[in-house]
């Protein structure tokens, strides 16, 4: 049961491989994201939004201090990292997504300044949603996400019909998977190969991106976490689930 995972080549990939092995799968680690820091720090605002563990780490390295801001984190992992570095976390939305944070802040930020500190590929759902709620929104790019050289083993396996599942953890992993396949001249074959595999997307934005690019998605967990994504995908494979799109 070969399952491709596209997490960055750090502890997140190690944890993903360990989890898949514990579920009886044969992981295919194929990092599709690498972090390129910009050395920027979040700017001062009444509300500061951090969206990832990586963003928190880089903000801390850049010497960021909240200076009385209301600190918002998307996801428990981001919140936990903030606390590890000694920052107070004021708001974590129940839904770990840009939409979830917009819904949480919509009635609080009218006329307020909001700093969004994240990667160069952050969703406009967050910034546009906060602006529509009346906030004065500023965005700082803490890091760029690029495709590592040599990525694409999973695309080759998919093209050969040897991949049982692919677990996409962001829209960018979808784009980079297809870019790696295109680089090898096997894009159409790789997409066709995914038709015979179980395809998982960590959340609705990733699902939508995959669907727009003609990749059928079978699994979208209610909770946007890799743990749930992996477990539901493996369960679908072992239970012989049908091919209906989710």
């Amino acid at each position: 049961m070969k399952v491709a995972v596209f997490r960055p080549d750090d502890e997140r990939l190690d944890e993903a491989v360990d989890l898949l092995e514990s579920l009886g799968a044969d992981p295919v680690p194929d990092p599709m994201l690498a972090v390129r820091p910009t050395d920027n720090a979040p700017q001062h605002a009444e509300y500061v939004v951090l969206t990832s563990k990586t963003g928190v780490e880089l903000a801390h390295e850049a010497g960021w201090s909240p200076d009385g801001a209301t600190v918002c984190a998307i996801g428990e992992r981001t919140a936990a990292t903030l606390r590890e570095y000694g920052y107070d976390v004021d708001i974590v939305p129940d839904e770990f997504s840009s939409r979830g944070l917009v819904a949480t802040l919509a009635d609080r930020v009218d006329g307020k300044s909001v700093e969004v500190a994240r990667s160069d590929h952050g969703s406009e759902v967050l910034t546009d949603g906060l602006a529509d709620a009346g906030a004065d929104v500023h965005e700082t790019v803490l890091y760029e996400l690029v495709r590592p050289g040599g990525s694409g083993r999973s695309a080759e396996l998919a093209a050969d019909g040897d991949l049982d599942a692919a677990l996409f953890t962001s829209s960018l992993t979808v784009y980079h998977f297809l870019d790696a396949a295109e680089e090898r001249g096997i894009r159409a074959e790789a997409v066709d190969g995914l038709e015979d595999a179980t395809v998982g997307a960590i959340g609705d934005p990733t699902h939508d991106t995959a669907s727009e690019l003609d990749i059928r998605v079978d699994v979208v967990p209610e909770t946007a976490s890799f743990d749930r994504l992996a477990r539901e995908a493996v369960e679908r494979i072992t239970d012989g689930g049908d091919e209906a799109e989710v």
Side-chain angles (χ1 to χ4, degrees), residues 2-3 10 22 26 38 45 55 60 68 70 76 89 118 127 129 135 152 156 165 173 177 180 186 198 209 214 238 242:
K2 292 180 181 177
V3 180
D10 55 25
S22 75
D26 179 12
T38 63
H60 179 72
T70 297
E76 287 295 347
V89 181
R118 57 184 183 176
T127 47
E156 294 175 354
T173 60
F177 173 88
I186 56 171
T198 293
T209 297
D214 298 322
T238 55
D242 62 37

Side-chain angles (χ1 to χ4, degrees), residues 6 18 22 28 34-35 91 94 120 132 150 157 164 169 186 201 222:
F6 308 121
D18 289 345
S22 75
V28 179
V35 174
I91 295 174
D94 292 335
D120 62 328
D132 289 344
L157 289 172
D164 296 293
T169 48
I186 56 171
E222 287 190 15

Side-chain angles (χ1 to χ4, degrees), residues 128-144:
D128 289 353
L130 293 172
D132 289 344
D136 178 13
V137 181
H138 180 269
E139 182 176 7
T140 295
V141 174
L142 299 178
Y143 58 101
E144 299 171 351

Side-chain angles (χ1 to χ4, degrees), residues 75-246:
E76 287 295 347
R77 186 166 191 147
T78 306
T81 306
L82 280 161
R83 296 184 184 107
E84 287 172 12
Y85 283 108
Y87 299 113
D88 291 331
V89 181
D90 301 297
I91 295 174
V92 182
D94 292 335
E95 179 186 334
F96 299 162
S97 68
S98 294
R99 291 188 182 95
L101 185 59
V102 169
T104 299
L105 295 180
D107 61 353
R108 310 186 193 193
V109 295
D110 187 18
K112 305 291 186 181
S113 59
V114 179
E115 166 73 349
V116 177
R118 57 184 183 176
S119 81
D120 62 328
H121 283 84
S123 168
E124 293 180 356
V125 169
L126 178 56
T127 47
D128 289 353
L130 293 172
D132 289 344
D136 178 13
V137 181
H138 180 269
E139 182 176 7
T140 295
V141 174
L142 299 178
Y143 58 101
E144 299 171 351
L145 290 170
V146 298
R147 181 167 63 87
S151 59
R153 178 187 171 208
S154 58
E156 294 175 354
L157 289 172
D160 291 339
D162 291 333
L163 194 65
D164 296 293
L167 306 180
F168 293 104
T169 48
S170 68
S171 291
L172 197 54
T173 60
V174 180
Y175 289 122
H176 284 180
F177 173 88
L178 293 175
D179 287 346
E182 183 75 32
E183 191 174 77
R184 289 161 170 74
I186 56 171
R187 176 170 173 147
E189 293 85 349
V191 173
D192 287 345
L194 291 180
E195 287 291 322
D196 296 322
T198 293
V199 176
I202 201 165
D204 290 335
T206 306
H207 165 272
D208 294 346
T209 297
S211 297
E212 290 166 5
L213 295 168
D214 298 322
I215 296 175
R216 189 205 68 250
V217 176
D218 305 294
V219 174
V220 182
E222 287 190 15
T223 301
S225 73
F226 183 80
D227 183 274
R228 290 310 318 159
L229 176 64
R231 292 180 186 279
E232 291 183 24
V234 170
E235 182 179 359
R236 181 184 176 88
I237 295 170
T238 55
D239 288 350
D242 62 37
E243 295 298 318
E245 182 175 355
V246 176

Side-chain angles (χ1 to χ4, degrees), residues 3-83:
V3 180
V5 55
F6 308 121
R7 312 228 74 179
D9 192 8
D10 55 25
E11 73 276 3
R12 285 167 290 187
L13 186 63
D14 295 337
E15 291 170 2
V17 167
D18 289 345
L19 173 61
L20 288 168
E21 288 178 342
S22 75
L23 297 173
D26 179 12
V28 179
D30 192 8
M32 288 291 171
L33 300 175
V35 174
R36 182 184 294 161
T38 63
D39 298 325
N40 294 329
Q43 294 191 10
H44 177 69
E46 292 167 278
Y47 288 77
V48 176
V49 178
L50 280 303
T51 65
S52 69
K53 176 180 183 290
T54 299
V56 174
E57 292 170 342
L58 293 175
H60 179 72
E61 289 176 12
W64 169 63
S65 173
D67 294 328
T70 297
V71 178
C72 310
I74 294 182
E76 287 295 347
R77 186 166 191 147
T78 306
T81 306
L82 280 161
R83 296 184 184 107

